[in-house]
Amino acid sequence: MAPKARKSNKARRSAGGAKKSVSIEMVKEAVAALGDRNGSTINAIFNYLVRTKKVSQSSRTLVILAIGRACREGSMAKKSPKSFVLRAGGKRKASSPKRRKRKAKRARKSTAKKSASKRRRRQRKRRTLKKKAKRSTKRRSRKTASKSAKKTRKARRSQKPKAFKRPAAKTMRGRPVRRAARRINYRE
């Protein structure tokens, strides 16, 4: 069998469409042409560029990157998580020092709140762990007490019964009381 001929780069490009760099202007033009009030999705923008600007099918990532650059620049904005619109003012204005201070203050406040809530969560966790530990120790002590009680009961049962002992003779001031012996006269 004859070895397969390798396709050249030119042939590959012509099959998939020549890769064309996608600029911000092209993306903006696509969004303007689509004119969707709720914003144009990446797929819609990409398909428009493929149809009109002869962008290759494999250059979807270039379109996404161009959209990202336009958003960073300020000429486009996100309307929803999946759609983009043109900004009326064009490029983003440089923020004033007052605005920057306000932003920094808000950021500090939010971090302080987060740290405080974390602290509270940690304290709650510690409390619950302590309570659990106390409960477990109580349960253990109860179990050991019940076990020892069972052992003593078993020991009592296994012991031999004690022999009956007569009560000791009554004493009067430390001396034994003598019982009067009955004298019986056998000679009668």
Side-chain angles (χ1 to χ4, degrees), residues 145-159:
S146 63
K147 280 181 182 177
S148 62
K150 281 180 184 176
K151 281 180 183 175
T152 51
R153 277 187 225 129
K154 279 184 181 178
R156 280 185 206 144
R157 282 181 202 151
S158 64
Q159 280 177 354

Side-chain angles (χ1 to χ4, degrees), residues 73-152:
E73 184 187 87
S75 54
M76 274 175 69
K78 255 190 178 187
K79 179 87 174 185
S80 73
K82 291 182 180 179
S83 60
F84 300 88
V85 288
L86 290 172
R87 261 214 176 129
K91 288 190 178 180
R92 215 182 273 161
K93 290 176 186 175
S95 58
S96 64
K98 277 185 181 178
R99 193 175 272 179
R100 267 185 249 134
K101 278 182 185 175
R102 262 186 256 135
K103 238 185 185 179
K105 199 175 183 182
R106 275 190 218 129
R108 268 185 258 125
K109 273 187 180 178
S110 66
T111 51
K113 279 183 182 178
K114 281 177 187 174
S115 61
S117 64
K118 273 185 182 177
R119 218 177 298 123
R120 278 188 229 110
R121 263 187 246 130
R122 274 194 227 116
Q123 285 172 348
R124 263 187 247 131
K125 228 180 193 178
R126 281 186 202 131
R127 277 188 225 124
T128 53
L129 288 170
K130 280 180 183 176
K131 282 179 184 176
K132 281 181 183 177
K134 278 183 182 177
R135 282 182 206 148
S136 64
T137 51
K138 278 182 184 177
R139 283 177 192 157
R140 278 187 209 138
S141 62
R142 280 180 200 156
K143 280 181 183 177
T144 50
S146 63
K147 280 181 182 177
S148 62
K150 281 180 184 176
K151 281 180 183 175
T152 51

Side-chain angles (χ1 to χ4, degrees), residues 164-172 175-177 179:
F164 177 74
K165 278 187 180 178
R166 274 215 163 123
K170 287 183 182 177
T171 57
M172 217 174 164
R175 295 180 201 147
V177 177
R179 286 186 187 139

Side-chain angles (χ1 to χ4, degrees), residues 24-62:
I24 294 170
E25 280 71 35
M26 287 167 77
V27 171
K28 279 160 58 177
E29 190 183 312
V31 172
L34 289 165
D36 196 357
R37 225 177 16 172
N38 298 326
S40 306
T41 60
I42 292 170
N43 278 340
I45 295 165
F46 175 65
N47 290 334
Y48 178 83
L49 291 173
V50 167
R51 270 181 294 159
T52 57
K53 301 291 181 184
K54 305 292 183 211
V55 173
S56 72
Q57 290 283 340
S58 58
S59 60
R60 182 183 162 83
T61 50
L62 295 174

